[in-house]
Amino acid sequence: MANLRQASLRHANLALVARTVLAADTPPSRADVAAATSLTRSTVSRLVDELVAGGILDEVESVVGGPGRPGRPATPLRASRARVAALGLQVGVGQLAARLVDLSGAVLAERLVTADLAGSRPGPVLRRLRTLATRVLDATPDGCRVVGAGLALPGIVDVAAGRLLSAPNLGWEDVTPAPGLAAALGDLALRVGNEADLAAHAYAHPAPGRDREPRDFLYLSGEVGIGGAVVVDGEVMAGRHGWAGEIGHVCVDPDGPPCRCGSTGCLEQYAGRLALLDAAGLDPSTSPAELARRARDGDEQARAATRSAGRALGVALSGVVNVLDIPTVVLGGHLAMVGDLLAPEVEEILGRRVLSARWVTPRVVIADVDPAPGATGAALLALDRVVSDPVAHLS
């Protein structure tokens, strides 16, 4: 029993030291970690040695001195670079993606393929994704261990079962992707998740153990449709069945146009990528960046399209903010490409329709444009398990 307690304490302390190093704004020394964790220096030194040997932490060039340590060398610590990584995959309506991400949050290798996958069959698509995954894994740097894999899908996902229940914009129903990817993944466990949830996780945590402000926000992931996620204190609020955040199917007008989900007047029928381009009189293959350029250059139809989308977003989001009391909205995907045009309209409507706006001003934040944030989030979620349970991943 004493040995079990000692082993459990070691596991907990290894995780504590790993989290402390990865969360630091600047690389800490062993003495800094000891001060932050209240562990003894000898204990921290022993645990750090294990984490460095196991490829989870790196030692960087020693520096001399520091507060309270004049003239004494200190060896800073940081997340390892290209020694431990995870594979993130994504199926979107307009593309396939595969990314290899390490513990520092760096992308070590990636493959992105543009494709029109609306109404596609799962089997051929998963075979194409399997090829991308194989190429990315073949590009793994020497000495780097791949410890997990994740797949982001644009629909309702049963995470525990690893099953996509429905993806209306893909036209997929009741799909279990793991068998179609097994030849590439080998013994890597695959975790399947909703694309918007995983993109929101990547925004909240740009690297394992690292947090970004704001801690509470509504994330909108724009592609053909609009996915959404609710983040509270840095964690995605999944809901009872893991299906929370479907903001794209909040009703803007019950008498509005039909949606692929089977309802009418959903937000994505006004602010989805295809809806925006159609309202601007542009071909569906046009980049949202081109739409934004035209609107900024004074094209009145393009400007009207972004104003209409902004109003629809404001109306839908005001109801969500009133219910959840989360007044910060992060725009990702195609919405980020036109974010500076949408934000004023959205903020104006939120200011009028959100009851708490008198005291806390709603705001819109524009995420960096990334073609596959869900793939990054899928990889980062797999790497989080390395930080929470280092013992299972020490070589």
Side-chain angles (χ1 to χ4, degrees), residues 16 38 46 65 69 84 87 100 104 107 109 116 177 196 210 213 264 272 291 310 319 345 350 354:
L16 175 60
S38 298
R46 183 175 66 255
R69 301 189 303 273
V84 173
L87 177 69
L100 191 67
S104 74
V107 176
D116 181 4
R210 299 297 302 273
E213 294 295 335
T264 57
L291 165 64
E345 193 80 33
L350 290 177
V354 172

Side-chain angles (χ1 to χ4, degrees), residues 359-372:
W359 301 279
V360 179
T361 303
R363 67 187 182 117
V364 174
V365 178
I366 302 170
D368 293 336
V369 175
D370 180 348

Side-chain angles (χ1 to χ4, degrees), residues 6 10 13-14 30 40-52:
Q6 187 174 12
R10 170 176 168 268
N13 285 339
L14 279 165
R30 286 169 169 79
T40 66
R41 291 195 184 191
S42 61
T43 297
V44 167
S45 184
R46 183 175 66 255
L47 296 170
V48 165
D49 287 345
E50 287 191 62
L51 293 168
V52 170

Side-chain angles (χ1 to χ4, degrees), residues 62-75:
S62 298
V63 296
V64 177
R69 301 189 303 273
R72 296 183 61 188
T75 303

Side-chain angles (χ1 to χ4, degrees), residues 248-259 263-270:
H249 297 286
V250 169
C251 182
V252 175
D253 178 3
D255 296 321
C259 181
S263 187
T264 57
C266 294
L267 173 61
E268 70 176 44
Q269 297 305 309
Y270 300 88

Side-chain angles (χ1 to χ4, degrees), residues 301-358:
Q301 191 170 0
R303 291 169 65 89
T306 58
R307 284 196 300 268
S308 176
R311 285 194 296 272
L313 283 164
V315 170
L317 288 168
S318 61
V320 178
V321 173
N322 278 329
V323 170
L324 296 179
D325 184 26
I326 300 177
T328 299
V329 176
V330 178
L331 301 180
H334 81 266
L335 298 174
M337 295 184 186
V338 294
D340 62 315
L341 300 167
L342 299 173
E345 193 80 33
V346 174
E347 289 179 336
E348 191 274 328
I349 293 176
L350 290 177
R352 285 193 286 111
R353 298 178 68 96
V354 172
L355 295 178
S356 61
R358 291 170 54 194

